[in-house]
Amino acid sequence: MLKVAIFPNFQKKNALLCAKQAAERLHTFGAEVWVDEAYSKEFAEFPYLHFGVFSSLVYQMDIVIAIGGDGTMLRCAKQMISSDAKLLGINTGHLGFMAGLEPHELDSLSRLVSGAYYVSERMFLQGTLTDGDHSTTFTVLNDIAVSGLYGKVFDFSVYSDDHLIGRYRADGVVCSTPTGSTAYALSAGGPLVEPELQLIEIALICPHSLFNRPLLLSADRRITIRHTASSAKNILLSADGEPPIAFPAEHRLDIVRSRHTVSLISLNSGSFYDAVNRKLMQSIKGF
């Protein structure tokens, strides 16, 4: 029997209703449905549900369904690292670019049981912030951003395998996966990148130059970022939009491809470009 875990974000409007409807349909379609025990009260009316600690039960699942926005999917994907489960997103957020399903399409969940779905393998990045013998490591599906506090401009250098790419003055820099190319990197002027590609994108944030352009590097490179800002409090690092941490000048940031990947599920045949036109072009099309 197919084992499916639901990972909801109840801070999103209609996420609880959507999670309950998804659980009902999955059970009807013949799946074994699991939810984190922290939500047992919210799902008390469903006697057929199973409960456990998500961080442990994820390793027993075939599929995990994240219900919320793109941030929910990012948090869920990182909790799935090292598991064999595949990830499906149901969008109850604003954009939900990474989601494979909308709330009105829940009947399509039957395709999970029959195996009639598409899988997109996505790479992670691993970042390490180092000061002497001390280091902090984090894994991201979208991006790692370094920026000045309150948009403060600063000087920094970017290296590829210890070879200098360039010295820049800008509001910051975003290093992203192909998945993250449609997030912060796109807003910083980066290109659209097909999400299954294996590469690292570097996009400067508001560079003080007419000639700086985004870079696409081999995923096998090691990217290093150093800066010369005098105040440690003025330069911040954020991984996948999480609360930022200080990036002092005496530290170095190294970014490489992670050995981990995640398999994202789509339940329709729509391409990456269909999602681009349907979701990223909304304001231009006026709907």
Side-chain angles (χ1 to χ4, degrees), residues 50-91:
H50 304 269
F51 297 94
V53 178
F54 183 82
S55 59
S56 298
L57 65 85
V58 66
Y59 296 99
Q60 308 167 33
M61 296 298 108
D62 299 302
I63 292 171
V64 175
I65 298 178
I67 300 176
D70 286 335
T72 306
M73 290 194 67
L74 292 175
R75 290 190 294 274
C76 185
K78 277 180 273 193
Q79 291 201 48
M80 294 170 60
I81 286 177
S82 296
S83 78
D84 294 325
K86 300 178 181 64
L87 175 61
L88 170 67
I90 300 179
N91 176 40

Side-chain angles (χ1 to χ4, degrees), residues 227-247:
H227 70 84
T228 58
S230 57
S231 175
K233 296 181 179 180
N234 284 342
I235 310 302
L236 302 175
L237 182 155
S238 179
D240 267 352
E242 294 295 323
I245 61 174
F247 181 1

Side-chain angles (χ1 to χ4, degrees), residues 157-274:
S157 300
V158 180
Y159 301 82
S160 172
D161 293 338
D162 294 326
H163 299 289
L164 179 67
I165 294 176
R167 295 185 175 91
Y168 305 103
R169 174 167 291 181
D171 287 4
V173 58
V174 182
C175 294
S176 78
T177 65
T179 299
S181 73
T182 53
Y184 197 174
L186 181 66
S187 298
L192 290 173
V193 180
E194 288 190 336
E196 291 84 4
L197 291 176
Q198 301 291 301
L199 56 83
I200 302 174
E201 177 183 344
I202 300 176
L204 301 182
I205 305 170
C206 299
H208 284 219
S209 170
L210 295 175
F211 304 105
N212 293 130
R213 293 292 183 265
L215 297 173
L216 302 179
L217 285 75
S218 166
D220 296 325
R221 300 300 183 199
R222 183 184 77 256
I223 309 303
T224 300
I225 298 174
R226 292 181 176 274
H227 70 84
T228 58
S230 57
S231 175
K233 296 181 179 180
N234 284 342
I235 310 302
L236 302 175
L237 182 155
S238 179
D240 267 352
E242 294 295 323
I245 61 174
F247 181 1
E250 60 270 19
H251 288 48
R252 61 179 279 166
L253 172 63
D254 292 302
I255 299 171
V256 297
R257 172 170 52 182
S258 169
R259 62 185 179 87
H260 301 292
T261 61
V262 65
S263 300
L264 297 191
I265 291 176
S266 175
L267 291 176
N268 55 62
S269 58
S271 71
F272 165 70
Y273 302 103
D274 291 331

Side-chain angles (χ1 to χ4, degrees), residues 26-39:
L26 288 165
H27 174 69
T28 300
F29 298 145
E32 184 177 291
V33 187
W34 289 74
V35 182
D36 192 290
E37 60 186 21
Y39 306 125

